[in-house]
């Protein structure tokens, strides 16, 4: 009986040790400037589809605030920059992922039309309409520890009725 108990204790000890940093109790500090790209689910082969910059601030509880800037088709004749979106109060990070919601309004006075390689897959945000970006970024910081310099996840762009306009992958690198 005592041998079984000893074996159980050894297994528990090794399992605890194998978890390593997975017991880290603090969320990562994501504050700073993050730059990267968006890739569409519908056509991920479009080169340089969109550039994104996030300015993140974070409180001690892991709540996020700041802004998101997105430029579609950067450096081309079809370049379109969305009005800046503000990160809402429901955005946060924990030990395993960040969920970021950024809300904006097309206050440009005209429809914003994003060409996605051909006219059949373009999308638009009408003048005066609200739009929302939802980002889900798993980072498993509890298992990695240290400081994060790269984030990879998904995004969804929605219209004012919460209909999906665009979706895909986001890849960010911390610049500051």
């Amino acid at each position: 009986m005592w041998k079984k108990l000893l074996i159980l204790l050894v297994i528990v000890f090794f399992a605890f040790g194998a978890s390593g940093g997975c017991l880290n109790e603090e969320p990562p500090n994501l504050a700073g400037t993050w730059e990267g790209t968006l890739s569409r689910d519908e056509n991920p082969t479009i080169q340089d589809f969109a550039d994104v910059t996030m300015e993140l601030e974070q409180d001690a509880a892991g709540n996020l605030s700041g802004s998101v800037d997105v430029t579609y088709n950067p450096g081309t004749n079809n370049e379109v920059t969305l009005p800046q979106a503000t990160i809402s109060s429901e955005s946060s990070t924990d030990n395993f992922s960040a969920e970021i919601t950024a809300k904006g309004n097309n206050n440009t006075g005209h429809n914003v039309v994003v060409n996605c390689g051909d006219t059949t897959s373009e999308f638009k945000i009408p003048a005066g309409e609200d739009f929302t970006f939802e980002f889900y970024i798993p980072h498993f910081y509890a298992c990695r520890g240290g400081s994060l310099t790269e984030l990879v996840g998904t995004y969804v762009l929605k219209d004012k009725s919460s209909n999906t306009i665009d979706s895909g992958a986001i890849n960010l690198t911390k610049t500051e």
Side-chain angles (χ1 to χ4, degrees), residues 87-100:
I87 295 174
S88 65
S89 61
E90 64 248 23
S91 301
S92 64
T93 188
D94 61 19
N95 295 346
F96 301 101
S97 65
E99 293 184 23
I100 302 169

Side-chain angles (χ1 to χ4, degrees), residues 54-119:
M54 284 191 193
E55 297 288 341
L56 294 177
E57 297 173 18
Q58 181 176 332
D59 67 16
N63 298 312
L64 300 170
S65 59
S67 62
V68 175
D69 293 297
V70 176
T71 300
Y72 290 99
N73 304 310
T76 70
N77 293 338
N78 296 324
E79 182 175 292
V80 175
T81 300
L82 291 182
Q84 187 174 71
T86 303
I87 295 174
S88 65
S89 61
E90 64 248 23
S91 301
S92 64
T93 188
D94 61 19
N95 295 346
F96 301 101
S97 65
E99 293 184 23
I100 302 169
T101 301
K103 298 179 181 187
N105 179 275
N106 179 9
N107 56 9
T108 62
H110 56 82
N111 292 343
V112 171
V113 179
V114 177
N115 184 317
C116 305
D118 61 48
T119 56

